[in-house]
Amino acid sequence: MIRLTRLFARELLDSRGRPTVEVEASAGELTGRAIVPSGASTGKWEACELRDRDSARYDGLGVRQAVAHVNDILRPLLLETDVSDQAAVDQRLVAADGTPQKTRLGGNALLGVSLAVAHLGAAARGVPLFQHFHTLYSSLPPLADRPLPAPLAPPGPLVPPGPRMPLPMTNMISGGLHAGGNIDFQDVLAIPVGAPDYPTGLEWIVRIYNRLGRLLAADGYEGRLVGDEGGFGPRLPGNREAVEYVVKAIEKAGLRPGADATIALDVAATHFWDGNGYRLASERGTCLSSDQMIDRLEEWIDRYPITSIEDGLAEDDWEGWERLTRRLGHRVRLVGDDLFTTNVERLRTGIQRGVANSVLIKINQIGTITETLRAMQLARSAGYTCVVSARSGETEDATIADLAVGAAGDLIKIGSIVRSERLAKYNQLLRIAELLP
């Protein structure tokens, strides 16, 4: 047993200059430290990100209250607990808050502690963090049930054979809430599907990004204007042009669209759903029904090398998602982000209804490491793929790189290949790749 001897939180800044929570957890001379990310495009079912709402300081975005909850409430609760038992620590955190969406203490307070304890647990065992995550994942109790009336893919093993490198899914052009609404869709991304290994795939991604910048600049767009996650943010005429530019960039990089690299879309449809339909500002306010939106996505899949679509419909458009999955689920990865919010119960509902075939995994959507791993376990049991994801408000913390490897995530969505908060994760994956066979 390795007992927690010190727990301390402080307020730091994230990549957007907004306050966030950092937590340090110690056991004697050993220390684990982690910083909590923050989202801009957030689903209403996510864990609460507690802010001070004091307009006199950081425009109300301070996190002193969340910090105080760690130092004044969670520290006395957790001191002397066994840091090697992550599940028990996380269970105490969830019980201490006692609300479905962590609204009492704040998901950012709980997650900071959970992450710091995970880092400390790895240090106590003397193993890399990714190996510790694999142990935590492998030791999860079996699912009580597997509610799979008609799985969209053959159920996978609950415990992967070992840590593995995820495939990068990298932001090329940003829109929506990530880039001031320059286009409706939130991200157009590239995936190096034909790369033989992670280092090669990363080099391809950098090459595509650089060629894209040259293409945009040659056509008179702001080549250095980027969004929150480092993707280019040009004022293009519409969503279609963003996809076409990325396809051209793949070709200019000397790669084959559809074979070496494919396109992923983060539609983030919830954010342009107005209650009556999907209203596209880039098309002079055109309002599409769910079926018309599905038609549009199918048309693009027919025309472009698109292999992944995230949040193609709104977070509560369950019937639309059912039709979307029946139409396109056999052709592309349909990723639920706002739809599932890394929440086991929402994911279970989606599985039962035959909705989507992949889940986006964001640690701050749910609030603890154990709940995150549980969501990945349930997804894998149903044959869903897992895309481990960063947030728009990131930090130098690289934990999700280790999580993606240790829990055998299929892909990792970090952002683009500029800005140090993104590169911290890409570079950590390069280090990890040296350690894996």
Side-chain angles (χ1 to χ4, degrees):
M1 177 180 288
I2 309 295
R3 297 185 181 278
L4 182 70
T5 58
R6 179 177 177 269
L7 189 68
F8 178 76
R10 61 172 64 89
E11 184 183 69
L12 295 183
L13 298 182
D14 68 17
S15 60
R16 293 178 297 183
R18 297 179 181 178
T20 189
V21 178
E22 179 181 66
V23 177
E24 292 181 359
S26 300
E29 298 298 316
L30 300 173
T31 297
R33 183 171 64 194
I35 314 176
V36 178
S38 173
S41 171
T42 55
K44 70 179 181 181
W45 302 106
E46 293 193 23
C48 167
E49 183 180 75
L50 189 62
R51 300 283 181 177
D52 296 338
R53 307 301 177 194
D54 178 0
S55 60
R57 185 175 179 276
Y58 285 118
D59 295 323
L61 297 176
V63 292
R64 283 180 170 174
Q65 188 176 1
V67 166
H69 287 165
V70 175
N71 293 333
D72 300 339
I73 297 175
L74 297 177
R75 174 164 52 196
L77 177 69
L78 293 174
L79 286 179
E80 300 302 315
T81 57
D82 183 3
V83 300
S84 63
D85 192 345
Q86 183 78 40
V89 170
D90 289 344
Q91 186 175 22
R92 284 197 178 195
L93 292 172
V94 172
D97 181 90
T99 65
Q101 290 180 261
K102 280 80 172 178
T103 54
R104 176 172 173 258
L105 301 179
N108 44 350
L110 271 61
L111 181 60
V113 175
S114 183
L115 290 173
V117 168
H119 279 264
L120 179 57
R125 293 181 56 217
V127 299
L129 183 60
F130 74 85
Q131 187 64 61
H132 183 56
F133 278 135
H134 181 70
T135 300
L136 294 177
Y137 183 88
S138 301
S139 62
L140 288 174
L143 293 166
D145 61 339
R146 297 173 71 165
L148 311 174
L152 301 170
L158 297 185
V159 179
R164 70 180 183 192
M165 297 300 297
L167 191 63
M169 177 188 286
T170 303
N171 193 316
M172 292 290 152
I173 292 181
S174 296
L177 296 183
H178 286 176
N182 54 318
I183 57 175
D184 303 293
F185 292 4
Q186 189 154 275
D187 296 313
V188 180
L189 309 98
I191 311 173
V193 295
D197 51 47
Y198 172 76
T200 301
L202 184 59
E203 191 276 327
W204 287 4
I205 287 296
V206 172
R207 201 191 314 169
I208 295 167
Y209 184 87
N210 289 334
R211 299 303 183 275
L212 176 60
R214 294 176 192 176
L215 286 169
L216 292 170
D219 287 347
Y221 292 105
E222 308 91 331
R224 295 190 180 276
L225 180 63
V226 300
D228 283 348
E229 297 188 355
F232 291 107
R235 293 283 170 182
L236 297 171
N239 304 301
R240 185 187 302 271
E241 288 79 4
V243 176
E244 290 174 345
Y245 265 109
V246 177
V247 174
K248 291 177 185 177
I250 294 171
E251 294 172 339
K252 288 291 186 181
L255 301 169
R256 298 167 297 167
D260 296 323
T262 62
I263 302 293
L265 301 179
D266 180 358
V267 178
T270 296
H271 301 288
F272 53 86
W273 166 262
D274 68 0
N276 297 308
Y278 296 92
R279 194 167 297 280
L280 302 176
S282 66
E283 298 182 19
R284 299 182 180 181
T286 296
C287 189
L288 302 179
S289 67
S290 297
D291 287 330
Q292 289 172 324
M293 191 71 190
I294 296 169
D295 290 340
R296 175 71 58 87
L297 295 173
E298 185 173 37
E299 173 195 340
W300 284 21
I301 291 170
D302 291 339
R303 182 169 182 175
Y304 305 112
I306 295 170
T307 56
S308 181
I309 297 175
E310 178 183 328
D311 280 354
L313 296 175
E315 60 194 359
D316 289 327
D317 188 0
W318 287 101
E319 292 183 359
W321 268 97
E322 290 173 359
R323 297 193 296 276
L324 172 66
T325 307
R326 287 196 298 269
R327 288 265 298 273
L328 303 180
H330 64 290
R331 298 184 61 186
V332 297
R333 180 180 295 104
L334 296 175
V335 187
D337 176 17
D338 293 344
L339 177 70
F340 293 139
T341 60
T342 319
N343 184 297
V344 165
E345 294 310 313
R346 285 188 66 83
L347 177 57
R348 191 181 298 276
T349 297
I351 293 169
Q352 291 170 335
R353 296 185 67 153
V355 160
N357 56 26
S358 182
V359 57
L360 204 72
I361 299 295
K362 292 176 174 174
I363 52 178
N364 78 320
Q365 281 184 329
I366 193 62
T368 68
I369 286 296
T370 301
E371 290 170 294
T372 301
L373 295 175
R374 272 293 194 181
M376 296 180 76
Q377 180 191 43
L378 178 61
R380 182 167 284 117
S381 77
Y384 284 40
T385 57
C386 294
V387 183
V388 176
S389 177
R391 301 307 303 256
S392 57
E394 267 297 336
T395 74
E396 61 269 30
D397 188 296
T399 302
I400 64 164
D402 288 84
L403 175 66
V405 174
D410 298 277
L411 298 99
I412 188 165
K413 183 185 174 192
I414 295 171
S416 201
I417 45 78
V418 294
R419 303 180 60 137
S420 60
E421 76 277 3
R422 311 291 156 185
L423 292 172
K425 285 81 163 168
Y426 285 116
N427 289 339
Q428 176 66 358
L429 287 169
L430 286 172
R431 299 183 193 103
I432 294 172
E434 295 175 352
L435 303 176
L436 295 182

